[in-house]
Structures are given as structure tokens and as C-alpha cells.
């Protein structure tokens, strides 16, 4: 236990890398999820087909292997070596964006046809229908699964240890274990708690956005509504 | 005096869903300002006619025009080709539709629902659109609900907002598809009274599907009885409701009255 302050300090040094990789990965995930999610609904077959290749390609292969490709193989092919953190963010975003695309597509498809038809009856253009009517309603449906996805992305950020990014997991394995080998339990106990806390932060932010989005639809948040119904019963 | 150009023309329209031919060689016209009610058994194609006019469905054969312009087709260098999205949108602006299930946008307040089309499609300023929204809400008796969400309104109130939303686009043609069918009985009268009022105070052309025969009788100038995708009787309401010519019309009216 007397080593706890040192352990916390070394893991703390890795915290910014973990947070930056996660945030960067989430931003890229959001961009790719919406981009690819909308393209999956394109009226043009070719566009859907190409997007499908991206989605299935990244969902169907190992994240670690993707990381090795971008970090080790790409430099050999194109002669340009990405900074480890950037390579890591790219893989986290590309991989989780492929899952997110399906979430976005599914949520858009779940908006009732009647809403499209109401928008057509007002002569809104296809882009206006999507942006003003469909997406705001679909957003409420996509937030809970996106929350899950972002937490998975946070946990996946530990693979960046494999390409020398000094994030929390690498700090534990490469710095702490060799020096405080007797405290293995304590070290990984703390690592455990760090990820748990970061996940809690993500969930808290996502819940806040969920409540905001539900209010915009004049709905009470789902969870609260369920609880109230149970109380009523 | 010359006969005015018809507002709506169906010319030899056929509509199929797969092998199910829903409308057979359908032709009729509606004059500007005329109120026409479509009646007929469930599945006879009444909703399909309104959806074709709103361009929610495409015709398989024949043409539809509204206000002298093709709706289903466009003239490209002398030949008629199926209308594209941009062309459809232009003609569509003259047509409004009120749905059985209201179809209000839950992500907007009542005000948002009312100003969305006028600001984004007609290019009104926010102020102009807000004024128009306030006037229409007063007309439908819901001025106090301008900042409410659709989910906070009763069915009857939602339907009156939906009518106001359609009117905000200043349509020449208004399509009403069983607009009171989803309402609790005590809310029906208010919506019908509003429609009667609109019928008297505007020169909008109405095409209306309803099972409210009392309303059809005093609102319509003309009633068309449909069966099996064909018009089997087309007459003034006094004639059609009191002395229907066809056996099929008689039994349909009997069934509706017994209901
Ligand atoms: N989207 C659709 N796909 C397949 N069949 C449809 C569709 N819409 C309507 N139909 C069919 O077309 C016929 C006419 O339907 P509809 O116009 O809704 O009749 P009504 O409004 O008179 O009850 C029915 O047989 C119905 O099953
Ligand atoms: Mg119908």
C-alpha cells in the first residue's frame, strides 16, 4: 500500500493519452457513423455497396490487426509513418464508426414513414426532411447504443499500448509491473477503477444528452418514464 | 362565360401494387373551389387517390394534373416523362394534406410545426411565418398552445394543428383522409365544425375521404362512390344520399348508417 502514491502518479501520467485517444476516437466515430450511416441509406446501389464494404471490413476484422496495418504496414506501403497516438485514434474511429454506421442507419429507419410523408406534404426537400424532421427523431433512438459503443471504444483504447502509446494500460505494464512487481493486484485494481470512472463520465454525459434530446421531443426520458410506470403499477 | 380550367384532372389513371390493380383507368376532374367527397368500402382505393395527388405514390398508367400542370409527369422536349423530385416539389406546393394520424413533427413545438414549411419552402421571414401561425392558431382555436409539444395535445387538438399546418402553406387543394377517424367521439364535432368553416370562408378545392356521412352531405358539392377501383356513382350529395342509383351505393350507405 505504501506504493499507492507512486502508482497513482505513474498511471496519472498515462491518463491524458487515454483520454485524448478516447475523445479523438469518439469524434471520428461520430463523423464516420453519421457519414456511413446516411450513405447506407443512399438511393444509389454503388454508394451503398462501397459503404457496406467499409462497414463489414472493419467489423469483421481484428482491431489489433487493423492497428498493426496502419502503424506497421502502411509506412512500408506509402512510406509515411503516423504518430502512434494518431494511428491509434484512426483505428479506434474507423472500427467503431463501422458499428456506429449501423446504429445510425437503424435509428433513421425506425422513424415512422408517416413522418416522411408529413414532411413531403409540406414540400420539404429531401435534405430538409432528413435534417429537420428525421434525424432529430432518430437521434433519441441512437443515443443509448452510441453510449455503449463509446464505452467499448474507451476500453479498446488500451490496445494503443501495443504501438508504444504511453496510455494507462501501458504505464501499468511497462513502468509499474517491472518496478513494483509485488503490487500486481493493487496496480491492476487501480487500472480497473480508472476505466470504470472514465466509463461513468461517458455515461453521465450521454444521459444528459439523452434527456436533452427527449425533452426536445416533448418526451420524458425513457428510464424515468419506466420507473414511474412501475411505481404506478 | 367559359368553363373554368379544372383544378384536378385524373386521366386514365391506373395504380397497381404488385399484381393488385387498385385503380382501373380512372378519369375525373374537380373544379376550382369544388368540395368533392370520396366514399366507398374499405380497400376501394380512396386513400390511394389522395396519396397519388400528394405524390406519395406514383401512377402506373395515365396522368394527373393539378392547376393545369402535370403532377405525375413532366414535359421534356415534347414527351411526357415521369416527374423528377425537383419538379414534383414545385407542383406539390399547391397541395396540402391532412392525415388520419395527424403526422405532426414531435421534435418541434406547435409553432415549429406551423412555421417550418412557410420559412423553409415558401421563403417567408420568421416574423411573417409567426404572424401566419398565430392567425391560424386563432382560427383553429388553439392560440394558447403555440409553445406546446404535439405530445401534450389531445387528438382533436393535434388534428386542428395539423389542419393549421397545411393551411399555412396557402394550398389551392387540400386533401383530407379520414381526418376524424382516429379521434375520440367527443372530439370529432370540433374538427368537423372547423372544416365546415373553412369550406365556407376559403376558396380552397377540397378532396375528402370520410365516413361521416352527415358532414359529407353538407360539406360536399359532389360525392363520388368508389368500388373496386372504379367510380360507380358521381352525383350531388342530395341525390346520392337520398336516391342512390346503384345497388352497391345503397347497400354501402345502409351499412354505414347501421354502423
Ligand atoms: N403501400 C401499399 N402496398 C401494397 N398494397 C397497398 C398499399 N397501399 C394500399 N394498398 C392496397 O390498395 C388497395 C386500396 O387501398 P386504399 O387506397 O388504402 O383503400 P381505402 O382508402 O379506400 O380503404 C387495398 O387493397 C390495399 O391493400
Ligand atoms: Mg383509406
Amino acid at each position: 500500500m505504501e506504493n499507492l502514491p507512486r502508482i497513482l502518479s505513474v498511471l496519472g501520467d498515462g491518463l491524458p493519452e487515454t483520454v485524448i485517444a478516447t475523445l479523438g476516437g469518439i469524434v471520428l466515430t461520430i463523423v464516420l457513423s453519421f457519414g456511413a450511416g446516411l450513405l447506407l441509406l443512399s438511393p444509389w446501389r454503388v454508394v451503398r455497396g462501397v459503404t457496406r464494404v467499409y462497414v463489414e471490413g472493419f467489423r469483421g476484422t481484428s482491431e489489433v490487426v487493423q492497428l498493426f496495418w496502419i502503424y506497421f504496414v502502411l509506412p512500408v506501403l506509402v512510406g509515411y509513418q503516423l504518430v502512434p497516438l494518431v494511428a491509434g485514434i484512426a483505428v479506434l474511429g474507423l472500427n467503431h464508426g463501422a458499428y456506429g454506421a449501423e446504429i445510425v442507419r437503424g435509428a433513421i429507419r425506425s422513424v415512422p414513414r408517416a413522418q416522411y410523408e408529413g414532411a413531403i406534404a409540406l414540400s420539404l426537400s429531401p435534405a430538409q426532411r432528413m435534417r429537420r424532421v428525421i434525424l432529430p427523431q432518430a437521434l433519441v433512438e441512437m443515443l443509448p447504443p452510441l453510449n455503449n459503443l463509446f464505452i467499448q471504444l474507451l476500453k479498446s483504447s488500451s490496445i494503443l499500448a501495443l504501438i508504444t502509446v504511453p496510455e494507462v494500460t501501458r504505464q501499468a505494464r511497462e513502468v509499474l509491473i517491472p518496478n513494483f512487481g509485488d503490487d500486481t493486484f493493487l496496480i491492476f485494481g487501480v487500472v480497473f477503477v480508472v476505466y470504470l470512472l472514465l466509463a461513468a463520465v461517458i455515461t453521465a454525459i450521454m444521459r444528459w444528452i439523452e434527456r436533452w434530446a427527449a425533452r426536445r421531443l416533448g418526451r420524458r426520458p425513457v428510464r424515468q418514464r419506466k420507473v414511474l410506470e412501475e411505481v404506478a403499477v | 362565360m367559359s368553363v373554368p380550367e379544372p383544378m384536378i384532372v385524373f386521366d386514365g389513371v391506373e395504380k397497381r401494387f404488385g399484381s393488385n390493380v387498385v385503380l382501373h383507368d380512372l378519369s375525373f376532374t374537380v373544379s376550382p373551389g369544388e368540395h368533392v367527397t370520396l366514399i366507398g368500402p374499405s380497400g376501394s382505393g380512396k386513400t390511394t387517390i389522395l396519396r397519388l395527388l400528394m405524390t406519395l405514390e406514383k401512377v402506373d398508367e395515365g396522368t394527373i394534373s393539378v392547376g393545369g400542370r402535370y403532377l405525375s409527369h413532366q414535359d421534356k422536349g415534347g414527351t411526357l416523362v415521369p416527374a423528377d423530385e425537383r419538379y414534383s416539389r414545385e407542383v406539390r406546393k399547391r397541395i396540402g394534406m391532412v392525415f388520419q394520424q395527424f403526422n405532426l413533427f414531435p421534435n418541434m413545438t406547435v409553432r415549429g410545426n406551423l412555421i417550418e414549411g412557410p420559412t423553409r419552402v415558401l421563403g417567408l421571414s420568421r416574423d411573417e411565418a409567426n404572424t401566419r401561425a398565430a392567425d391560424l392558431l386563432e382560427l383553429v382555436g388553439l392560440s394558447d398552445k403555440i409553445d406546446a409539444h404535439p405530445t401534450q395535445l389531445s387528438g382533436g387538438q393535434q388534428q386542428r394543428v395539423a389542419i393549421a399546418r397545411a393551411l399555412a402553406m396557402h394550398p389551392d387543394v387540400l386533401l383530407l383522409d379520414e381526418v376524424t377517424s382516429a379521434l375520440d367521439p367527443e372530439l370529432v364535432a370540433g374538427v368537423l365544425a372547423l372544416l365546415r368553416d373553412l369550406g365556407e370562408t376559403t376558396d380552397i378545392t377540397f378532396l375528402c375521404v370520410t365516413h361521416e356521412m352527415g358532414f359529407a352531405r353538407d360539406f360536399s358539392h359532389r360525392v363520388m362512390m368508389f368500388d373496386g377501383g372504379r367510380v360507380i356513382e358521381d352525383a350531388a350529395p342530395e341525390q346520392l344520399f337520398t336516391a342512390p342509383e346503384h345497388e352497391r351505393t345503397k347497400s354501402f350507405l345502409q351499412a354505414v348508417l347501421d354502423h
Side-chain angles (χ1 to χ4, degrees):
Chain A
M1 262 308 183
E2 74 273 17
N3 290 326
L4 186 60
R6 294 284 308 281
I7 290 171
L8 286 178
S9 147
V10 172
L11 289 180
D13 290 343
L15 201 57
E17 307 282 333
T18 294
V19 170
I20 290 168
T22 303
L23 279 182
I26 286 176
V27 169
L28 189 56
T29 296
I30 292 171
V31 171
L32 289 171
S33 299
F34 278 87
L38 287 169
L39 292 180
L40 283 174
L41 294 164
S42 158
W44 294 292
R45 254 182 101 125
V46 181
V47 175
R48 291 200 305 270
V50 170
T51 314
R52 191 42 71 200
V53 169
Y54 156 65
V55 169
E56 300 307 336
F58 276 88
R59 287 201 307 184
T61 57
S62 148
E63 223 174 346
V64 174
V65 177
Q66 290 163 18
L67 188 67
F68 288 170
W69 265 87
I70 287 200
Y71 189 65
F72 298 119
V73 182
L74 210 60
V76 178
L77 292 179
V78 301
Y80 186 77
Q81 173 77 62
L82 286 172
V83 179
L85 186 58
V86 171
I89 288 173
V91 165
L92 290 174
L94 282 165
N95 187 280
H96 293 85
Y99 288 93
E102 284 293 350
I103 293 174
V104 170
R105 185 185 76 99
I108 290 174
R109 290 282 305 273
S110 78
V111 175
R113 261 215 79 68
Q115 291 293 313
Y116 288 88
E117 296 184 347
I120 292 176
L122 285 183
S123 297
L124 297 184
S125 70
Q128 289 169 331
R129 283 175 225 154
M130 186 53 76
R131 204 163 48 81
R132 302 285 309 164
V133 177
I134 306 302
L135 273 181
Q137 296 181 51
L139 187 65
V140 182
E141 304 303 321
M142 42 179 112
L143 287 171
L146 283 180
N147 184 11
N148 278 335
L149 189 66
F150 296 161
I151 289 173
Q152 270 165 14
L153 186 149
L154 161 70
K155 294 184 293 187
S156 289
S157 72
S158 64
I159 64 169
L160 271 61
L162 299 171
I163 56 165
T164 75
V165 176
E167 46 69 70
V168 169
T169 306
R170 187 176 172 94
Q171 289 291 90
R173 284 198 29 198
E174 305 290 319
V175 182
L176 291 176
I177 295 294
N179 290 312
F180 307 101
D182 294 342
D183 288 326
T184 308
F185 176 78
L186 182 62
I187 292 166
F188 281 106
V190 175
V191 170
F192 199 88
V193 171
V194 167
Y195 281 107
L196 209 57
L197 288 177
L198 290 174
V201 171
I202 292 176
T203 298
I205 294 171
M206 292 299 285
R207 287 276 163 77
W208 184 84
I209 298 174
E210 272 175 54
R211 278 196 298 275
W212 169 83
R215 251 199 323 274
R216 278 200 54 193
L217 294 197
R219 286 191 205 164
R220 275 176 294 163
V222 178
R223 241 163 298 269
Q224 190 185 339
R225 195 170 57 208
K226 280 217 182 88
V227 172
L228 288 177
E229 271 162 16
E230 274 156 22
V231 171
V233 172
Chain B
M1 209 182 87
S2 66
V3 184
E5 281 257 317
M7 180 58 88
I8 300 171
V9 179
F10 271 60
D11 186 10
V13 170
E14 176 163 317
K15 177 63 191 170
R16 302 183 290 264
F17 291 106
S19 61
N20 179 10
V21 183
V22 177
L23 302 176
H24 303 264
D25 190 21
L26 177 66
S27 299
F28 66 87
T29 62
V30 177
S31 305
E34 199 176 17
H35 303 171
V36 175
T37 298
L38 311 178
I39 61 170
S42 178
S44 58
K46 307 179 298 293
T47 295
T48 302
I49 290 170
L50 301 192
R51 290 174 59 83
L52 284 168
L53 274 164
M54 198 65 257
T55 66
L56 299 174
E57 305 284 356
K58 290 192 160 62
V59 296
D60 292 304
E61 302 287 340
T63 58
I64 301 175
S65 29
V66 170
R69 289 179 76 182
Y70 283 116
L71 177 67
S72 51
H73 294 72
Q74 70 193 98
D75 199 331
K76 268 209 178 133
T79 50
L80 279 187
V81 296
D84 63 24
E85 165 65 29
R86 183 179 293 271
Y87 176 88
S88 296
R89 205 150 70 229
E90 275 311 305
V91 191
R92 197 187 278 152
K93 280 185 195 167
R94 311 187 60 174
I95 307 167
M97 182 159 182
V98 182
F99 300 87
Q100 196 172 340
Q101 299 293 340
F102 334 130
N103 300 12
L104 293 176
F105 305 138
N107 56 313
M108 300 175 193
T109 61
V110 167
R111 181 202 305 276
N113 272 276
L114 292 186
I115 68 173
E116 186 67 14
T119 53
R120 289 181 195 268
V121 177
L122 304 182
L124 263 62
S125 72
R126 257 192 109 77
D127 281 349
E128 291 167 325
N130 272 324
T131 309
R132 196 180 274 192
D135 290 348
L136 284 167
L137 280 182
E138 192 176 331
L139 176 73
V140 304
L142 292 171
S143 293
D144 55 328
K145 301 293 185 196
I146 190 153
D147 291 314
H149 273 281
T151 47
Q152 296 164 333
L153 304 179
S154 74
Q157 291 171 332
Q158 289 188 52
Q159 194 57 296
R160 282 186 278 156
V161 171
I163 292 168
R165 180 173 77 171
L167 291 173
M169 299 295 285
H170 286 181
D172 296 325
V173 176
L174 196 53
L175 309 170
L176 307 172
D177 189 10
E178 301 198 32
V179 296
T180 57
S181 298
L183 301 182
D184 292 335
E186 73 272 20
L187 302 175
V188 170
V191 171
L192 294 182
L194 169 62
L195 292 174
R196 282 196 183 91
D197 188 32
L198 289 176
E200 279 164 22
T201 56
T202 68
D203 51 12
I204 296 173
T205 306
F206 283 90
L207 200 56
C208 152
V209 174
T210 183
H211 291 300
E212 299 287 337
M213 293 304 155
F215 170 75
R217 192 172 176 145
D218 39 65
F219 180 76
S220 327
H221 303 129
R222 227 169 95 202
V223 180
M224 294 202 283
M225 167 75 194
F226 274 85
D227 196 22
R230 292 191 168 81
V231 184
I232 59 168
E233 195 157 352
D234 181 347
E238 305 79 39
Q239 155 93 41
L240 193 132
F241 287 120
T242 49
E245 275 180 16
H246 285 259
E247 218 29 68
R248 201 61 198 89
T249 313
K250 268 179 218 166
S251 57
F252 172 76
L253 290 174
Q254 197 58 53
V256 173
L257 290 177
D258 288 348
H259 181 70

